[in-house]
Amino acid sequence: MPYYRCFTPKDALTFEQRQDIARAFTDIHCGNTGAPRSFVSVSFFETPHAEQPDFRSTYYVDGANRAGRSEDVKQQLLADLTRAFGEIADVPSDMIDGRITENPASWTMEGGFVLPEPGQEGPEWYAEVAASAAD
Amino acid sequence: MITFNCTIQEGIIPDDLRPKLASELARISTGILGGNSDDVTVRWIEIPRGFGFRGGHLSTTSAVRGEIPPGCQQETRVRLMQAIQDRWMELTGCTTAELVVSARDRRET
């Protein structure tokens, strides 16, 4: 976590655009939340796809994050993500929609550790994550 | 009913390893949570090469996302996630940095 799934029409994005979006999402998520970069996953699915949620826009950003952040942070995050997606994909904003769903951090184990709640990440946890990533 | 959605990157988990991984997910989860392995569903979602990223780079990470009956004690949940992580790493050779395991409460409909 976080995990961002981007749903697009077939062949809508080049590899370079997907990579740029993934990098932008990583920057945006970490800038808004302070999460380690190595935890940000972004996948792209071409529609129709069995995994897609119900949506009516042409492009959709479906984020899954740890619960516990303020509504302001979540709204800012989604706005920044969809704006970056539109800029990189060269798609007007009215063709992009999205959502961010949340689950308790304690329901996920990542890097070998149960995730702490947002705001509870101490320096020890960041050090453990860095050590795990270096293994 | 227990469901696992396993999201894997193309080329990372050999096809012939998947049945073993699925049977181990069923064995581990029913061993800890109870129930019958026939009630465990394992689905595979393969991300094509160039479509999955982590930290802005191409991803080699697998994610095992479980949906379990609601009301599980946290200690039991952690034991389940730990057991899945240990066995998955043993069978696939991946590192802790290449695996995400979750066990969320199934949403009742």
Side-chain angles (χ1 to χ4, degrees):
Chain A
M1 245 191 286
Y3 183 37
Y4 293 103
R5 302 186 305 169
C6 302
F7 293 90
T8 77
K10 184 169 172 51
D11 297 329
L13 301 178
T14 64
F15 170 78
E16 287 73 21
Q17 285 174 311
R18 292 193 298 271
Q19 187 169 53
D20 287 349
I21 289 168
R23 288 174 175 164
F25 278 22
T26 303
D27 292 342
I28 289 165
H29 184 91
C30 297
N32 276 280
T33 68
R37 295 182 64 81
S38 62
F39 276 28
V40 182
S41 290
V42 182
S43 295
F44 295 83
F45 297 87
E46 294 184 327
T47 55
H49 194 283
E51 294 305 307
Q52 72 188 65
D54 184 26
F55 60 86
R56 294 178 182 173
S57 55
T58 308
Y59 297 83
Y60 197 78
V61 177
D62 186 26
N65 286 353
R66 290 182 291 168
R69 297 196 175 95
S70 71
E71 198 58 38
D72 285 349
V73 169
K74 285 187 284 186
Q75 292 294 336
Q76 187 64 53
L77 196 51
L78 186 58
D80 290 350
L81 293 168
T82 52
R83 183 172 55 248
F85 186 101
E87 288 172 0
I88 296 167
D90 196 19
V91 169
S93 60
D94 61 358
M95 294 177 68
I96 311 166
D97 201 357
R99 67 174 180 182
I100 292 177
T101 57
E102 297 183 319
N103 282 311
S106 60
W107 291 3
T108 298
M109 180 173 280
E110 188 158 356
F113 307 100
V114 176
L115 293 180
E117 304 298 333
Q120 301 299 309
E121 310 93 336
E124 301 85 3
W125 182 75
Y126 281 104
E128 288 172 337
V129 168
S132 170
D135 282 346
Chain B
M1 175 66 80
I2 299 170
T3 304
F4 289 100
N5 289 317
C6 301
T7 304
I8 58 175
Q9 311 298 323
E10 181 183 5
I12 298 298
I13 305 290
D15 288 354
D16 59 4
L17 190 54
R18 296 184 196 181
K20 179 65 173 174
L21 288 165
S23 67
E24 287 296 274
L25 289 173
R27 181 187 66 78
I28 291 167
S29 58
T30 55
I32 292 174
L33 302 175
N36 190 313
S37 59
D38 291 341
D39 293 329
V40 178
T41 300
V42 178
R43 298 171 57 227
W44 297 94
I45 303 146
E46 186 172 84
I47 308 292
R49 201 184 313 274
F51 284 73
F53 299 84
R54 192 170 186 201
H57 305 287
L58 283 174
S59 178
T60 57
T61 295
S62 299
V64 181
R65 297 187 169 87
E67 287 189 5
I68 64 176
C72 179
Q73 296 288 320
Q74 179 61 11
E75 180 185 345
T76 305
R77 192 188 307 272
V78 171
R79 192 152 51 92
L80 173 65
M81 293 190 293
Q82 186 73 59
I84 290 171
Q85 176 187 268
D86 292 348
R87 189 64 176 134
W88 189 281
M89 289 172 59
E90 186 179 356
L91 288 170
T92 66
C94 77
T95 67
T96 53
E98 295 177 302
L99 181 61
V100 178
V101 181
S102 64
R104 75 178 196 192
D105 285 0
R106 188 179 60 236
R107 293 182 172 91
E108 302 293 358
T109 55

